[in-house]
Amino acid sequence: MDINLTLKKIILFLKNDEFVKSHDLFEKLWRKYKDNEDTRKESFILKAFVNGSVTIALYKMQRYEHSLNIWNTYKKYEYLIDEIESINSENYKKIKEIIYKKREIYIK
């Protein structure tokens, strides 16, 4: 699985409000990264995105409390997006920006 290609696909999913599809791809990446000692730290960014991408879908399903809990998990790891240097950092910052824009639209 080419992470750069997958992140670009996820960006398109997020832009098109396909939050569950983006969540599923993030989860595949996270599973791959979490078990590798070299990428373990970066896996926490992917874990954040697993949660951040689905929080809007949960909110739209009127699962407000669950959406908030999931968002709090995203926030727990969000700082790593700016802290960890990675070849994926540019895409991570784009994804973070999109997630916040979508939250502004759907979660008032």
Side-chain angles (χ1 to χ4, degrees):
M1 177 181 287
D2 178 334
I3 188 167
N4 188 48
L5 202 61
T6 304
L7 291 173
K8 289 185 184 304
K9 189 181 287 189
I10 289 169
I11 287 169
L12 287 174
F13 283 154
L14 289 171
K15 285 181 177 180
N16 291 317
D17 297 345
E18 296 183 77
F19 306 112
V20 175
K21 286 183 180 180
S22 64
H23 166 274
D24 293 345
L25 285 179
F26 277 131
E27 192 161 346
K28 285 180 185 177
L29 288 174
W30 171 71
R31 289 183 189 281
K32 180 180 174 184
Y33 270 54
K34 74 180 180 78
D35 293 330
N36 183 326
E37 191 175 312
D38 295 332
T39 58
R40 176 120 173 94
K41 201 168 182 184
E42 194 169 343
S43 78
F44 292 111
I45 293 171
L46 296 168
K47 182 176 184 174
F49 288 144
V50 165
N51 292 290
S53 61
V54 80
T55 190
I56 299 162
L58 290 168
Y59 191 88
K60 288 172 74 175
M61 291 187 295
Q62 298 181 352
R63 296 180 63 192
Y64 306 122
E65 188 175 337
H66 194 68
S67 175
L68 179 60
N69 290 339
I70 297 295
W71 181 249
N72 288 336
T73 303
Y74 168 80
K75 295 296 286 180
K76 178 180 176 181
Y77 298 108
E78 178 186 39
Y79 75 96
L80 294 170
I81 297 165
D82 296 317
E83 190 174 285
I84 292 176
E85 287 298 319
S86 165
I87 60 169
N88 304 309
S89 290
E90 185 178 326
N91 282 324
Y92 291 156
K93 289 174 184 176
K94 282 182 192 176
I95 291 166
K96 175 183 172 181
E97 182 181 322
I98 294 167
I99 287 173
Y100 271 93
K101 283 182 181 178
K102 294 298 181 172
R103 275 187 56 84
E104 286 178 24
I105 292 169
Y106 291 107
I107 300 176
K108 312 241 184 231

